[in-house]
Amino acid sequence: MNNLNKTLLVISALLVLIFTGCEEQVLDKPPRDVFSEVDVWSNIDLAKKFRNAIYPGLGYWAVGNYITTYAMYSDEAKVGEDLRVYYFNRGEITSDYMGRFEPIWRLRYQYIRKANIFLSRIDELEGASEEEINIMKGEVKCIRARMYFDLIKLFGGVPLITEAFELDDDFMVTRNSYEEIVEWIVKELDEAKEMVPAEWPSSDWGRVTKGACLATKSDVLLYANSKLHDPDTEPNGPLFDYTKNTWQDCADAAKAVIDMPQYQLQPVSTWQDYHKIFIEPNSEMIFTKVYHNNYGVASRAITGPNAPIKDGGWGELCPLQNLVDEFEMNNGKRIYEEGSGYDPSPEKIYENRDLRFYANILYQGSVWKTPLEFYHPGGIEVSTPPWTIPGYELRKFMDETTNLWQETGDTPWIWLRLAAMYLNYAEAQYELGNEDEAREYVNIIRNRVGLPDIESSGEELFQDIQHERRIELCFENHRFFDVRRWMIAGETDNEDAIGIVWKKLDANGNLDPNGELNYEFQIFQERTFHDRMYYLPIPVSEINKSDLEQNPDY
């Protein structure tokens, strides 16, 4: 493979798999934590361990293998400290300085290679039934397809490598066309969904299912059919273009998931009900990364890095005012609309909002175990200048009962959930000209949280669909990609990052811990988006290895 040296190829050709072992090793016996290829393909338990070792190739909630999320690179949030994020927000990404994005290419291809080895050898497995083998093949085919989807979302066409390299193979590869890879992914997912079960017993919850295959297919086609991949937009050419119209296939895949009896939208009466959707396993979750306290803190559950500072968290993911202002009032009107009832006074600025606001965002006066203080002077969440926290922290995904840094908690990270399929289906129906159907499915999502129906049509309906995705799917690593596929990042990501600064002031306007609470809006970060940033650059290390074609303007 173009991003692996020959030493790794030799090691992998021998297929020596290293598993964690704690047994005492005895001289003159093979170590119990090292297994040869003969061992693996003659023992179903070892083959299952190899399969399990491919799942981490999907990553987790972070970018690359770091505790930053795609939300920090979008108009949803900023990071409390730089963490090599601001260079991107300033439009300064280059092929030799990619920050947290740099390892993504390498990591995905490392795991793709493991998947290729597994699929090339699994039919040799001894002592396993045909059904057992097919299920494992289906799991790995889906995971490999999702990893390629991760790559083409960021880079456009990439080298499509589906077989393990041998030592005498030509390691010089080229980038396949975007359309070719999309077609291959869809084919793989169609095959995988016929191999894997519709559901697993609770002991295997989190594995690939038919629903996961179908939902991934819907996502892949949602992206492929979007404006970014229209041959009439730039950049264009085989590495970026999708010439087919498969909106119907996108809609069909989403609807197939919606109609599966294994999945139901969770009922919601309060913001606490909505918050639980992301905390406790439920029938809205289609595909997740499972966490458990037994995995240890190194498993990087989301709560520790993002919990409030007063409770020992780092407060890293900080929602922006840009997003907060997009949450409607509970009567369905935007805060700037006549009749919304929005009151900007310090005491009432957060009253009567869409309940998803309270479930997703921590703000001045909200409660995480105890009330949060974002004011100056003395507020623990903002501490002292420079004031890097823009007045908000994350609540979504966050389990208050977790004992920070002592346990990870059991909260899963959701890659795919049912509400997103409703919105995929709505967008696909809009593109197919079925506006009544599109409105119906958007309204199902809105009505669940007590918001009234939308009645829009035409371009306004499309904007309402965009808005609903922004709110319903916030912080779920959709927005970064949505604004790109819609090609509106030139507007959204050129907006400066706005936050709110709370101050206690005396009668003379001076900071006073006993003063009256006031606020002002402030630019926390100037941001720049260049058109080349619709795609990431190919890492320069990969260009040097295989002379791959670089993306435009890098």
Side-chain angles (χ1 to χ4, degrees):
M1 187 176 301
N2 64 306
N3 64 331
L4 295 177
N5 59 38
K6 289 190 177 182
T7 300
L8 287 176
L9 287 166
V10 171
I11 293 173
S12 296
L14 295 174
L15 196 60
V16 179
L17 306 176
I18 309 299
F19 301 104
T20 301
C22 61
E23 297 90 353
E24 184 180 11
Q25 296 182 3
V26 181
L27 293 176
D28 301 324
K29 289 185 178 182
R32 290 188 176 187
D33 59 354
V34 178
F35 304 98
S36 72
E37 60 178 321
V38 175
D39 294 327
V40 172
W41 307 119
S42 60
N43 185 312
I44 188 171
D45 290 330
L46 295 183
K48 287 180 176 179
K49 287 185 178 181
F50 191 4
R51 171 205 58 186
N52 293 348
I54 298 170
Y55 271 83
L58 296 172
Y60 62 116
W61 53 269
V63 174
N65 56 357
Y66 299 97
I67 57 168
T68 54
T69 78
Y70 284 100
M72 298 171 180
Y73 299 92
S74 76
D75 59 350
E76 291 182 314
K78 71 179 288 290
V79 65
E81 53 182 321
D82 191 343
L83 297 178
R84 290 196 292 162
V85 172
Y86 294 169
Y87 80 99
F88 183 88
N89 298 142
R90 294 191 299 264
E92 296 171 2
I93 185 171
T94 63
S95 62
D96 59 356
Y97 186 66
M98 296 179 62
R100 304 304 192 188
F101 291 103
E102 189 277 331
I104 293 176
W105 180 289
R106 171 177 50 82
L107 290 171
R108 290 298 183 272
Y109 273 113
Q110 284 179 354
Y111 282 95
I112 286 169
R113 189 170 180 283
K114 291 182 180 181
N116 289 343
I117 292 171
F118 182 91
L119 292 170
S120 71
R121 302 298 302 274
I122 186 62
D123 287 328
E124 303 171 20
L125 181 62
E126 300 173 9
S129 67
E130 182 178 354
E131 180 183 16
E132 289 174 312
I133 290 173
N134 274 340
I135 289 174
M136 287 192 287
K137 286 172 69 174
E139 289 178 78
V140 174
K141 285 170 78 71
C142 178
I143 295 168
R144 183 175 64 171
R146 282 187 59 86
M147 290 190 289
Y148 269 112
F149 181 40
D150 289 344
L151 289 169
I152 64 174
K153 283 192 297 183
L154 291 169
F155 301 104
V158 297
L160 179 59
I161 301 169
T162 59
E163 296 181 359
F165 275 65
E166 302 295 338
L167 293 180
D168 58 352
D169 286 340
D170 182 1
F171 301 132
M172 300 298 289
V173 295
T174 58
R175 298 172 66 180
N176 293 69
S177 73
Y178 177 85
E179 185 167 304
E180 180 182 1
I181 299 174
V182 168
E183 290 176 342
W184 177 86
I185 291 174
V186 169
K187 178 177 177 292
E188 289 287 293
L189 293 171
D190 283 341
E191 292 177 1
K193 73 179 173 62
E194 301 302 325
M195 297 176 169
V196 297
E199 58 185 334
W200 290 86
S202 58
S203 59
D204 281 312
W205 187 73
R207 295 201 179 282
V208 170
T209 60
K210 291 183 185 297
C213 296
L214 284 164
T216 302
K217 176 181 177 179
S218 179
D219 276 351
V220 170
L221 295 177
L222 181 80
Y223 282 64
N225 285 279
S226 294
K227 184 176 181 179
L228 180 61
H229 301 293
D230 188 320
D232 290 334
T233 62
E234 293 184 358
N236 53 26
L239 294 176
F240 314 109
D241 295 348
Y242 188 70
T243 63
K244 297 184 175 182
N245 183 336
T246 52
W247 279 115
Q248 187 63 58
D249 293 334
C250 173
D252 291 345
K255 190 61 162 58
V257 178
I258 292 168
D259 291 342
M260 292 182 73
Q262 288 80 16
Y263 308 114
Q264 293 89 34
L265 291 176
Q266 297 300 289
V268 169
S269 297
T270 65
W271 72 258
Q272 290 90 342
D273 292 336
Y274 186 83
H275 185 254
K276 287 179 182 177
I277 293 172
F278 306 93
I279 301 298
E280 303 171 355
N282 59 73
S283 59
E284 188 163 332
M285 297 180 182
I286 299 171
F287 192 38
T288 65
K289 178 178 177 64
V290 179
Y291 288 101
H292 192 279
N293 281 326
N294 292 345
Y295 295 172
V297 294
S299 63
R300 296 182 182 270
I302 197 169
T303 305
N306 297 293
I309 295 168
K310 73 178 179 64
D311 293 301
W314 299 346
E316 293 289 11
L317 184 63
C318 303
L320 295 173
Q321 193 70 42
N322 312 51
L323 172 63
V324 168
D325 288 346
E326 287 297 304
F327 283 91
E328 299 169 37
M329 303 298 289
N330 59 13
N331 61 10
K333 291 183 178 293
R334 305 289 180 89
I335 61 173
Y336 52 78
E337 286 187 279
E338 184 178 354
S340 71
Y342 173 66
D343 185 339
S345 66
E347 298 79 18
K348 297 184 178 181
I349 185 174
Y350 301 124
E351 286 188 0
N352 302 319
R353 293 292 188 94
D354 175 349
L355 63 79
R356 291 175 292 189
F357 169 73
Y358 306 106
N360 292 336
I361 294 176
L362 295 169
Y363 53 92
Q364 166 61 32
S366 63
V367 176
W368 170 280
K369 301 183 181 181
T370 56
L372 293 171
E373 299 173 344
F374 285 94
Y375 54 76
H376 306 276
I380 294 177
E381 298 310 309
V382 290
S383 62
T384 57
W387 301 333
T388 60
I389 305 297
Y392 303 101
E393 289 172 337
L394 183 68
R395 189 194 291 275
K396 194 172 189 175
F397 322 120
M398 309 286 282
D399 184 356
E400 290 185 56
T401 67
T402 300
N403 185 1
L404 295 186
W405 310 118
Q406 303 301 312
E407 57 185 14
T408 63
D410 298 334
T411 302
W413 171 255
I414 306 171
W415 280 308
L416 296 165
R417 69 181 176 99
L418 189 59
M421 292 300 103
Y422 276 74
L423 295 175
N424 282 14
Y425 184 72
E427 186 172 344
Q429 289 297 335
Y430 170 82
E431 296 291 349
L432 290 166
N434 303 323
E435 293 194 356
D436 289 344
E437 189 85 346
R439 275 191 298 272
E440 177 184 350
Y441 278 77
V442 172
N443 286 332
I444 289 172
I445 298 302
R446 291 174 59 80
N447 294 164
R448 173 168 72 157
V449 294
L451 292 179
D453 288 352
I454 58 168
E455 299 178 352
S456 52
S457 61
E459 181 62 26
E460 185 181 353
L461 173 56
F462 183 60
Q463 292 172 359
D464 283 341
I465 293 170
Q466 291 177 315
H467 169 77
E468 201 61 34
R469 284 186 69 91
R470 183 175 191 185
I471 300 301
E472 177 66 25
L473 305 179
C474 66
F475 311 127
E476 296 181 45
N477 289 344
H478 287 280
R479 180 68 174 175
F480 177 91
F481 297 102
D482 278 347
V483 299
R484 281 162 174 73
R485 67 182 182 85
W486 293 324
M487 297 197 79
I488 62 172
E491 304 165 24
T492 63
D493 290 6
N494 264 317
E495 293 181 0
D496 293 333
I498 305 296
I500 189 170
V501 176
W502 290 92
K503 299 179 181 180
K504 284 192 170 182
L505 303 176
D506 63 19
N508 296 318
N510 299 313
L511 291 174
D512 181 345
N514 298 313
E516 184 177 345
L517 196 62
N518 291 271
Y519 71 83
E520 62 183 24
F521 299 118
Q522 176 178 302
I523 294 176
F524 275 75
Q525 184 186 83
E526 294 182 353
R527 292 187 169 184
T528 300
F529 179 88
H530 302 290
D531 285 347
R532 67 172 183 269
M533 295 167 64
Y534 278 110
Y535 295 98
L536 296 185
I538 307 299
V540 68
S541 58
E542 302 302 328
I543 298 291
N544 293 338
K545 289 175 185 176
S546 293
D547 196 27
L548 294 172
E549 180 180 346
Q550 183 58 276
N551 279 336
D553 298 325
Y554 290 108

